[in-house]
Amino acid sequence: MPVFDAIVVGAGPAGAAAARGLAAGGAHVCLLERARFPRSKPCGGGITTRALSRFPWLEAALPRIPTHWVSRLYLEAGDGNHVVLTSERPAVVLVRRIEFDELLARLAVEAGAELCEGAWVSQVDAGDDRVTVRTRDGRQFTGRYLVAADGVNGVVTRRLGLHQGWDGEAVALDMMEEAPDALLRATDPATLWVAYGHGGADGYGYVFPKQGHVNVGIGCLLSCFREQVRMPPYEFQSGFVGHLVAQGVLQGVSSREHFTPCHIPVGGPIERTAAGRVLVAGDAGGFVNAYTAEGIYYAMVTGDLAAGAILAAFRAGAPDGGRAARHYVRAWKREIGTELRDARLIQKYLFRDSRRIANVVGGAGHHRDLAATIIAYAMGTISYRDARRRVLLQFPRTALRLAKIAVFG
Ligand SMILES: Cc1cc2nc3c(=O)[nH]c(=O)nc-3n(C[C@H](O)[C@H](O)[C@H](O)COP(=O)(O)OP(=O)(O)OC[C@H]3O[C@@H](n4cnc5c(N)ncnc54)[C@H](O)[C@@H]3O)c2cc1C
């Protein structure tokens, strides 16, 4: 059996970006995926268009799959007040993960990665100079590095003692249905529809129109679902669909067969995102925006940075496996560390008191320059650092409250 330069476990956005980056950099890489493509993944499939400036190769490949571009966001607070934000160019592209993930995996293969489908990793041994994984069907793969990109319930971090699992405050339960237009469709497919506080739960609901499909989801912290929602997930979600049909936001009916509840890690990155020759990317490492639950972008960024760190270690001829790990942690902290930390603070701040969300919705309506800043950041035309500076200058008192949460919790 060959010793690969790197093994990547999981071919979602994180793993595919890692494998593509490694292969494009000349590494011999094996991408292990338990499923077979095309495979489904419960997800809204909304990608902020900054992903396209970050990954020009993705922009070039997107025409290979159906996409839906939107430049209007409807935002509703728990008290019913709402605001509509509009951008000059589309700020979000919507995809179906069954198509998007297969595209990413194909791009990794086209760059030179070996994709091994039906390879369900169950055991991992990390040594000083190599890492070995074993699959449920008894196959064994060895590499000099390993990227753990096996998602929110990934086994690699647990087997290696890097993470013990999420508690109810660190994971959201997102109850979503992705239905064909023939069954359910958005009345206004040109708009992303997001609302907070439906059904008495401190969470969010959304309608994401796609080409030929619609995604309708409702989610909240798992702890909040256990405390506040007194019904099974599908009953809760289909009640939400019924409510939106009555309101005229949707047309059609909910169907159980298209419904999947799934977890999203929203507690911020795990303590140990790299150790020795193992680097953790995407949901497996908790790389999700805790406030918006956006994860595809961060999965791709961390996968790409993991690839870069491993390639840099090879170039430096580093015999010490820890070099790539240190490089990786520095790199993700530099690129996305501040925004992930702020997102966690914003999540805690807003969901502590529903009036605060109402204030934000009202604020976005009154302060058009604030809305313009958020849209520019989503599109990648200004950096997070600039967007943050502009918002803090405009709202110094809120900034002070967030700082207090950061210090005192
Ligand atoms: C309902 C819902 C809606 C969401 N909506 C959005 C949205 O609109 N926009 C957005 O940006 N984010 C959204 N997210 C978050 C987003 O889906 C994730 O952050 C993103 O998929 C993370 O990518 P990943 O590659 O880390 O993990 P995944 O996409 O979960 O990929 C992990 C891969 O690893 C494979 N795998 C797992 N275990 C093993 C194993 N043992 N061996 C081999 N392979 C394995 C899986 O089959 C899978 O292919 C949503 C999430 C949910 C649940």
Coordinates of all heavy atoms in Angstrom, one line a residue, residues 78-156:
G78 N -38.7 39.0 15.9 CA -39.8 38.2 16.6 C -41.1 39.1 16.8 O -42.2 38.5 16.9
D79 N -40.9 40.4 16.8 CA -42.1 41.3 17.0 C -42.8 41.5 15.7 O -43.8 42.3 15.6 CB -41.7 42.6 17.6 CG -40.7 43.4 16.8 OD1 -40.4 43.0 15.7 OD2 -40.2 44.4 17.3
G80 N -42.4 40.9 14.6 CA -43.1 41.1 13.3 C -42.5 42.2 12.4 O -42.7 42.2 11.2
N81 N -41.7 43.1 13.0 CA -41.1 44.1 12.2 C -40.0 43.5 11.2 O -39.4 42.5 11.6 CB -40.4 45.2 13.1 CG -41.4 46.1 13.7 OD1 -42.4 46.4 13.0 ND2 -41.1 46.5 14.9
H82 N -39.9 44.1 10.1 CA -39.0 43.5 9.1 C -38.3 44.6 8.3 O -38.7 45.8 8.3 CB -39.7 42.6 8.2 CG -40.6 43.3 7.3 ND1 -42.0 43.5 7.6 CD2 -40.4 43.8 6.1 CE1 -42.5 44.1 6.6 NE2 -41.6 44.4 5.6
V83 N -37.2 44.2 7.6 CA -36.5 45.1 6.8 C -36.1 44.3 5.5 O -35.9 43.1 5.6 CB -35.2 45.7 7.5 CG1 -34.2 44.6 7.9 CG2 -34.5 46.7 6.7
V84 N -36.0 45.0 4.4 CA -35.5 44.3 3.2 C -34.2 45.0 2.8 O -34.1 46.2 2.6 CB -36.5 44.4 2.0 CG1 -36.0 43.8 0.8 CG2 -37.9 43.8 2.5
L85 N -33.1 44.2 2.7 CA -31.8 44.7 2.2 C -31.6 44.3 0.8 O -31.8 43.1 0.4 CB -30.7 44.2 3.1 CG -30.9 44.4 4.6 CD1 -29.7 43.7 5.4 CD2 -31.0 45.8 5.0
T86 N -31.1 45.2 0.0 CA -30.9 44.9 -1.4 C -29.5 45.3 -1.8 O -29.0 46.4 -1.4 CB -31.9 45.7 -2.3 OG1 -33.2 45.5 -1.8 CG2 -31.9 45.3 -3.7
S87 N -28.8 44.4 -2.6 CA -27.5 44.8 -3.0 C -27.5 45.0 -4.6 O -28.4 44.5 -5.2 CB -26.5 43.6 -2.7 OG -27.0 42.4 -3.2
E88 N -26.6 45.7 -5.1 CA -26.6 46.0 -6.5 C -26.3 44.8 -7.3 O -26.9 44.5 -8.4 CB -25.5 47.0 -6.8 CG -25.9 48.4 -6.5 CD -24.8 49.4 -6.7 OE1 -23.8 49.1 -7.3 OE2 -24.9 50.5 -6.1
R89 N -25.4 43.9 -6.8 CA -25.1 42.6 -7.4 C -25.4 41.5 -6.5 O -25.5 41.8 -5.3 CB -23.6 42.6 -7.7 CG -23.1 43.4 -8.9 CD -21.7 43.2 -9.2 NE -20.8 43.8 -8.2 CZ -20.0 43.1 -7.4 NH1 -19.9 41.8 -7.6 NH2 -19.2 43.6 -6.5
P90 N -25.6 40.3 -6.9 CA -26.0 39.2 -6.0 C -25.0 39.0 -4.9 O -23.8 39.1 -5.1 CB -26.0 38.0 -6.9 CG -26.3 38.5 -8.3 CD -25.6 39.8 -8.4
A91 N -25.5 38.9 -3.7 CA -24.6 38.7 -2.5 C -24.5 37.3 -2.1 O -23.7 36.9 -1.3 CB -25.1 39.6 -1.4
V92 N -25.5 36.5 -2.6 CA -25.5 35.1 -2.2 C -25.8 34.2 -3.4 O -26.7 34.6 -4.2 CB -26.6 34.8 -1.1 CG1 -26.7 33.3 -0.7 CG2 -26.4 35.6 0.2
V93 N -25.1 33.1 -3.5 CA -25.5 32.1 -4.5 C -26.0 30.9 -3.8 O -25.4 30.4 -2.8 CB -24.3 31.8 -5.5 CG1 -23.0 31.3 -4.7 CG2 -24.6 30.8 -6.5
L94 N -27.1 30.3 -4.3 CA -27.7 29.2 -3.7 C -27.5 27.9 -4.6 O -27.7 28.0 -5.8 CB -29.2 29.4 -3.5 CG -29.4 30.5 -2.5 CD1 -30.4 31.5 -2.9 CD2 -29.8 29.9 -1.1
V95 N -27.1 26.9 -3.9 CA -26.8 25.6 -4.6 C -27.5 24.5 -3.9 O -27.8 24.6 -2.7 CB -25.3 25.3 -4.7 CG1 -24.5 26.4 -5.4 CG2 -24.7 25.2 -3.2
R96 N -27.6 23.3 -4.5 CA -28.1 22.1 -3.8 C -26.8 21.3 -3.5 O -26.0 21.1 -4.4 CB -29.0 21.3 -4.7 CG -30.3 22.0 -4.9 CD -31.3 21.1 -5.7 NE -31.7 20.0 -4.9 CZ -32.0 18.8 -5.4 NH1 -31.9 18.5 -6.7 NH2 -32.3 17.8 -4.6
R97 N -26.7 20.9 -2.3 CA -25.4 20.3 -1.9 C -25.2 18.9 -2.6 O -24.1 18.5 -2.8 CB -25.4 20.0 -0.4 CG -25.3 21.3 0.4 CD -23.9 21.9 0.3 NE -22.9 21.1 0.8 CZ -22.5 21.1 2.1 NH1 -23.0 21.9 3.0 NH2 -21.6 20.2 2.5
I98 N -26.3 18.3 -3.1 CA -26.1 17.1 -3.8 C -25.3 17.3 -5.1 O -24.6 16.4 -5.5 CB -27.5 16.4 -4.1 CG1 -27.3 15.0 -4.5 CG2 -28.3 17.2 -5.1 CD1 -28.6 14.2 -4.5
E99 N -25.5 18.5 -5.6 CA -24.7 18.9 -6.9 C -23.4 19.6 -6.5 O -22.4 19.3 -7.1 CB -25.6 19.8 -7.7 CG -26.8 19.0 -8.3 CD -28.0 19.9 -8.6 OE1 -28.0 21.1 -8.2 OE2 -29.0 19.4 -9.2
F100 N -23.4 20.5 -5.6 CA -22.3 21.3 -5.2 C -21.1 20.4 -4.7 O -20.0 20.5 -5.2 CB -22.7 22.3 -4.2 CG -21.5 23.2 -3.8 CD1 -21.1 24.2 -4.7 CD2 -21.0 23.2 -2.5 CE1 -20.1 25.1 -4.3 CE2 -20.0 24.0 -2.1 CZ -19.5 25.0 -3.0
D101 N -21.4 19.5 -3.8 CA -20.4 18.7 -3.2 C -19.7 17.7 -4.2 O -18.5 17.5 -4.2 CB -20.9 17.9 -2.0 CG -21.1 18.8 -0.8 OD1 -21.3 20.0 -1.0 OD2 -21.2 18.3 0.3
E102 N -20.6 17.2 -5.1 CA -20.0 16.3 -6.2 C -19.1 17.2 -7.1 O -18.0 16.7 -7.5 CB -21.1 15.7 -7.0 CG -20.5 14.7 -8.1 CD -21.6 13.9 -8.7 OE1 -22.7 14.3 -8.8 OE2 -21.2 12.8 -9.2
L103 N -19.5 18.4 -7.4 CA -18.6 19.3 -8.2 C -17.3 19.5 -7.5 O -16.2 19.3 -8.1 CB -19.3 20.6 -8.4 CG -18.5 21.7 -9.1 CD1 -18.1 21.3 -10.5 CD2 -19.1 23.0 -9.1
L104 N -17.3 19.8 -6.2 CA -16.1 20.0 -5.5 C -15.2 18.8 -5.5 O -13.9 18.9 -5.6 CB -16.3 20.5 -4.0 CG -17.0 21.8 -3.8 CD1 -17.1 22.1 -2.3 CD2 -16.2 22.9 -4.4
A105 N -15.8 17.6 -5.3 CA -15.0 16.4 -5.3 C -14.4 16.2 -6.6 O -13.2 15.8 -6.8 CB -15.9 15.2 -4.8
R106 N -15.1 16.4 -7.7 CA -14.6 16.3 -9.1 C -13.4 17.3 -9.3 O -12.5 16.9 -10.0 CB -15.7 16.5 -10.1 CG -16.8 15.6 -10.1 CD -16.5 14.2 -10.7 NE -17.5 13.2 -10.1 CZ -17.2 12.1 -9.4 NH1 -15.9 11.8 -9.1 NH2 -18.1 11.3 -8.9
L107 N -13.6 18.5 -8.8 CA -12.5 19.4 -9.0 C -11.2 19.0 -8.2 O -10.1 19.2 -8.8 CB -12.9 20.8 -8.4 CG -14.0 21.5 -9.2 CD1 -14.5 22.8 -8.5 CD2 -13.6 21.9 -10.6
A108 N -11.4 18.3 -7.1 CA -10.2 17.8 -6.4 C -9.6 16.7 -7.3 O -8.3 16.6 -7.4 CB -10.6 17.2 -5.0
V109 N -10.4 15.8 -7.8 CA -9.9 14.7 -8.7 C -9.2 15.3 -9.9 O -8.1 14.9 -10.3 CB -11.1 13.8 -9.1 CG1 -10.6 12.8 -10.2 CG2 -11.6 13.0 -7.9
E110 N -9.8 16.3 -10.5 CA -9.2 16.9 -11.7 C -7.9 17.6 -11.4 O -7.0 17.6 -12.2 CB -10.2 18.0 -12.3 CG -11.4 17.4 -13.0 CD -12.5 18.3 -13.3 OE1 -12.3 19.6 -13.3 OE2 -13.7 17.9 -13.5
A111 N -7.7 18.0 -10.1 CA -6.4 18.6 -9.7 C -5.4 17.5 -9.5 O -4.2 17.8 -9.3 CB -6.6 19.4 -8.5
G112 N -5.9 16.2 -9.4 CA -4.9 15.1 -9.2 C -5.1 14.3 -7.9 O -4.4 13.3 -7.6
A113 N -6.2 14.6 -7.1 CA -6.4 13.8 -5.9 C -7.0 12.5 -6.2 O -7.7 12.3 -7.2 CB -7.3 14.6 -4.9
E114 N -6.8 11.4 -5.4 CA -7.4 10.1 -5.6 C -8.6 10.1 -4.7 O -8.5 10.3 -3.5 CB -6.5 9.0 -5.2 CG -5.4 8.7 -6.2 CD -4.5 7.5 -5.8 OE1 -5.0 6.6 -5.1 OE2 -3.4 7.6 -6.1
L115 N -9.8 10.0 -5.3 CA -11.1 9.9 -4.5 C -11.4 8.5 -4.2 O -11.5 7.7 -5.2 CB -12.2 10.7 -5.2 CG -13.6 10.5 -4.6 CD1 -13.7 11.2 -3.3 CD2 -14.6 11.2 -5.6
C116 N -11.6 8.1 -3.0 CA -12.0 6.8 -2.7 C -13.4 6.8 -2.0 O -13.5 7.3 -0.8 CB -11.0 6.2 -1.7 SG -11.2 4.4 -1.5
E117 N -14.5 6.5 -2.7 CA -15.8 6.5 -2.2 C -16.2 5.2 -1.4 O -15.5 4.2 -1.7 CB -16.8 6.8 -3.3 CG -16.6 8.2 -4.0 CD -17.4 8.4 -5.2 OE1 -18.6 8.5 -5.1 OE2 -16.8 8.4 -6.3
G118 N -17.2 5.3 -0.6 CA -17.5 4.1 0.2 C -16.5 3.7 1.2 O -16.4 2.6 1.6
A119 N -15.6 4.7 1.6 CA -14.6 4.4 2.5 C -14.9 5.1 3.9 O -14.7 6.3 4.1 CB -13.2 4.9 2.0
W120 N -15.5 4.3 4.7 CA -16.1 4.8 6.0 C -15.0 4.6 7.1 O -14.8 3.5 7.6 CB -17.3 4.1 6.4 CG -18.1 4.6 7.5 CD1 -17.6 5.0 8.7 CD2 -19.5 4.9 7.6 NE1 -18.5 5.5 9.6 CE2 -19.7 5.5 8.9 CE3 -20.6 4.8 6.7 CZ2 -21.0 5.9 9.3 CZ3 -21.8 5.2 7.1 CH2 -22.0 5.7 8.4
V121 N -14.3 5.7 7.4 CA -13.2 5.6 8.4 C -13.7 5.3 9.8 O -14.7 6.0 10.3 CB -12.4 6.9 8.4 CG1 -11.3 6.9 9.5 CG2 -11.7 7.0 7.0
S122 N -13.2 4.3 10.5 CA -13.6 4.0 11.8 C -12.5 4.1 12.8 O -12.8 4.3 14.0 CB -14.3 2.7 11.8 OG -13.4 1.7 11.4
Q123 N -11.3 3.9 12.4 CA -10.1 3.9 13.4 C -9.0 4.8 12.8 O -8.8 4.9 11.6 CB -9.6 2.5 13.5 CG -10.5 1.5 14.1 CD -10.9 1.8 15.5 OE1 -10.2 2.5 16.3 NE2 -12.1 1.5 15.9
V124 N -8.3 5.4 13.8 CA -7.2 6.3 13.4 C -6.0 6.1 14.3 O -6.3 6.1 15.6 CB -7.6 7.8 13.5 CG1 -6.6 8.7 12.8 CG2 -9.0 8.1 12.9
D125 N -4.8 6.0 13.8 CA -3.6 6.0 14.7 C -2.7 7.0 14.2 O -2.3 7.0 13.0 CB -2.9 4.6 14.5 CG -3.7 3.5 15.2 OD1 -4.1 3.7 16.3 OD2 -3.9 2.5 14.5
A126 N -2.3 8.0 15.1 CA -1.4 9.0 14.7 C -0.1 8.8 15.3 O 0.0 8.8 16.6 CB -2.0 10.4 15.0
G127 N 1.0 8.6 14.5 CA 2.3 8.4 15.1 C 3.1 9.6 14.8 O 2.7 10.7 14.4
D128 N 4.5 9.5 15.2 CA 5.3 10.7 15.0 C 5.6 11.0 13.6 O 5.8 12.2 13.2 CB 6.7 10.4 15.7 CG 6.6 10.5 17.2 OD1 5.5 11.0 17.7 OD2 7.4 9.9 17.9
D129 N 5.6 10.0 12.7 CA 6.0 10.3 11.3 C 4.9 9.9 10.3 O 5.1 10.2 9.1 CB 7.3 9.6 11.0 CG 7.3 8.1 11.1 OD1 6.3 7.6 11.6 OD2 8.2 7.5 10.6
R130 N 3.8 9.3 10.7 CA 2.8 9.0 9.8 C 1.4 8.7 10.5 O 1.4 8.5 11.7 CB 3.1 7.8 8.9 CG 3.4 6.5 9.7 CD 3.9 5.4 8.7 NE 5.1 5.9 8.0 CZ 5.6 5.2 7.0 NH1 5.1 4.1 6.6 NH2 6.7 5.6 6.3
V131 N 0.4 8.8 9.8 CA -1.0 8.6 10.3 C -1.6 7.4 9.5 O -1.5 7.4 8.3 CB -1.8 9.9 10.2 CG1 -3.2 9.7 10.9 CG2 -1.1 11.0 10.8
T132 N -2.3 6.5 10.2 CA -2.9 5.4 9.5 C -4.4 5.4 9.9 O -4.8 5.6 11.1 CB -2.3 4.1 10.0 OG1 -0.9 4.1 9.6 CG2 -3.0 2.9 9.3
V133 N -5.3 5.3 8.9 CA -6.7 5.1 9.2 C -7.2 3.8 8.6 O -6.6 3.2 7.7 CB -7.5 6.3 8.5 CG1 -7.1 7.6 9.0 CG2 -7.5 6.2 7.0
R134 N -8.2 3.3 9.3 CA -8.8 2.0 8.8 C -10.3 2.3 8.6 O -10.9 3.0 9.3 CB -8.7 0.9 9.9 CG -7.3 0.4 10.0 CD -7.0 -0.7 11.0 NE -5.6 -0.8 11.2 CZ -4.8 0.0 11.9 NH1 -5.4 1.0 12.5 NH2 -3.5 -0.2 12.0
T135 N -10.8 1.6 7.6 CA -12.2 1.7 7.3 C -13.0 0.6 7.8 O -12.5 -0.5 8.2 CB -12.4 1.8 5.7 OG1 -11.9 0.6 5.2 CG2 -11.8 3.0 5.1
R136 N -14.3 0.8 7.9 CA -15.2 -0.3 8.4 C -15.1 -1.6 7.7 O -15.3 -2.7 8.3 CB -16.7 0.2 8.3 CG -17.1 1.1 9.4 CD -18.6 1.4 9.2 NE -19.0 2.2 10.3 CZ -20.3 2.5 10.5 NH1 -21.2 2.1 9.6 NH2 -20.7 3.2 11.5
D137 N -14.8 -1.5 6.4 CA -14.7 -2.8 5.6 C -13.2 -3.3 5.6 O -12.9 -4.1 4.8 CB -15.2 -2.6 4.2 CG -14.5 -1.5 3.4 OD1 -13.5 -0.9 4.0 OD2 -14.9 -1.1 2.3
G138 N -12.4 -2.8 6.5 CA -11.1 -3.4 6.7 C -9.9 -2.9 5.9 O -8.8 -3.4 6.0
R139 N -10.2 -1.9 5.1 CA -9.1 -1.3 4.3 C -8.2 -0.4 5.2 O -8.7 0.2 6.2 CB -9.6 -0.5 3.1 CG -10.0 -1.4 2.0 CD -10.7 -0.7 0.9 NE -12.0 -0.2 1.2 CZ -12.7 0.7 0.5 NH1 -12.1 1.3 -0.5 NH2 -13.8 1.1 0.9
Q140 N -7.0 -0.2 4.8 CA -6.1 0.7 5.6 C -5.4 1.7 4.7 O -5.0 1.3 3.6 CB -5.0 -0.3 6.3 CG -4.0 0.4 7.1 CD -3.2 -0.5 8.0 OE1 -3.8 -1.4 8.6 NE2 -1.9 -0.4 7.9
F141 N -5.3 2.9 5.1 CA -4.6 4.0 4.4 C -3.6 4.7 5.3 O -3.9 5.0 6.4 CB -5.6 5.0 3.8 CG -6.7 4.4 2.9 CD1 -7.8 3.8 3.5 CD2 -6.5 4.5 1.6 CE1 -8.8 3.2 2.6 CE2 -7.5 3.9 0.7 CZ -8.6 3.3 1.2
T142 N -2.4 4.9 4.7 CA -1.4 5.6 5.5 C -0.9 6.8 4.8 O -0.7 6.9 3.6 CB -0.2 4.6 5.7 OG1 -0.7 3.5 6.4 CG2 0.9 5.2 6.6
G143 N -0.7 7.9 5.6 CA -0.2 9.2 5.0 C 0.7 9.9 6.0 O 0.8 9.5 7.2
R144 N 1.5 10.8 5.4 CA 2.4 11.6 6.3 C 1.6 12.6 7.1 O 2.0 13.1 8.1 CB 3.5 12.2 5.5 CG 4.4 11.0 4.9 CD 5.5 11.6 4.0 NE 6.4 12.4 4.8 CZ 7.3 13.2 4.2 NH1 7.4 13.3 2.9 NH2 8.1 13.9 5.0
Y145 N 0.5 13.1 6.5 CA -0.4 14.0 7.3 C -1.8 13.6 7.1 O -2.2 12.8 6.1 CB -0.3 15.4 6.7 CG 1.1 16.1 7.0 CD1 2.2 15.9 6.2 CD2 1.2 16.7 8.2 CE1 3.4 16.5 6.5 CE2 2.5 17.3 8.6 CZ 3.5 17.2 7.7 OH 4.7 17.7 8.0
L146 N -2.7 14.1 8.0 CA -4.1 13.7 7.8 C -4.9 15.0 8.1 O -4.7 15.8 9.0 CB -4.5 12.7 8.9 CG -6.0 12.3 8.8 CD1 -6.2 10.9 8.5 CD2 -6.7 12.6 10.1
V147 N -5.9 15.3 7.2 CA -6.8 16.4 7.4 C -8.2 15.7 7.8 O -8.7 14.9 7.0 CB -7.0 17.2 6.1 CG1 -8.0 18.3 6.4 CG2 -5.7 17.8 5.6
A148 N -8.6 16.1 9.0 CA -9.9 15.6 9.5 C -11.0 16.5 9.0 O -11.1 17.6 9.5 CB -9.9 15.5 11.0
A149 N -11.8 16.1 8.0 CA -12.9 17.0 7.5 C -14.1 16.2 7.5 O -14.9 16.2 6.5 CB -12.5 17.5 6.1
D150 N -14.4 15.4 8.5 CA -15.5 14.5 8.5 C -16.8 15.0 9.2 O -17.6 14.3 9.6 CB -15.1 13.1 9.1 CG -14.3 13.2 10.4 OD1 -14.0 14.3 10.8 OD2 -14.1 12.2 11.1
G151 N -16.9 16.3 9.2 CA -18.1 17.0 9.6 C -18.4 17.0 11.1 O -17.6 16.7 11.9
V152 N -19.7 17.5 11.4 CA -20.0 17.8 12.8 C -20.0 16.6 13.7 O -19.6 16.7 14.9 CB -21.4 18.5 12.8 CG1 -22.5 17.6 12.2 CG2 -21.8 19.0 14.2
N153 N -20.3 15.4 13.2 CA -20.2 14.2 14.0 C -19.0 13.4 13.7 O -19.0 12.2 13.8 CB -21.5 13.4 13.9 CG -22.7 14.2 14.4 OD1 -22.6 14.8 15.5 ND2 -23.7 14.2 13.6
G154 N -17.9 14.0 13.3 CA -16.7 13.3 12.8 C -16.1 12.4 13.9 O -16.2 12.7 15.1
V155 N -15.5 11.3 13.4 CA -14.9 10.4 14.4 C -13.4 10.7 14.6 O -12.9 10.3 15.7 CB -15.0 8.9 13.9 CG1 -16.5 8.5 13.8 CG2 -14.3 8.7 12.5
V156 N -12.8 11.3 13.7 CA -11.3 11.4 13.8 C -10.9 12.2 15.1 O -10.1 11.7 15.8 CB -10.7 12.1 12.5 CG1 -9.2 12.4 12.7 CG2 -10.9 11.3 11.3

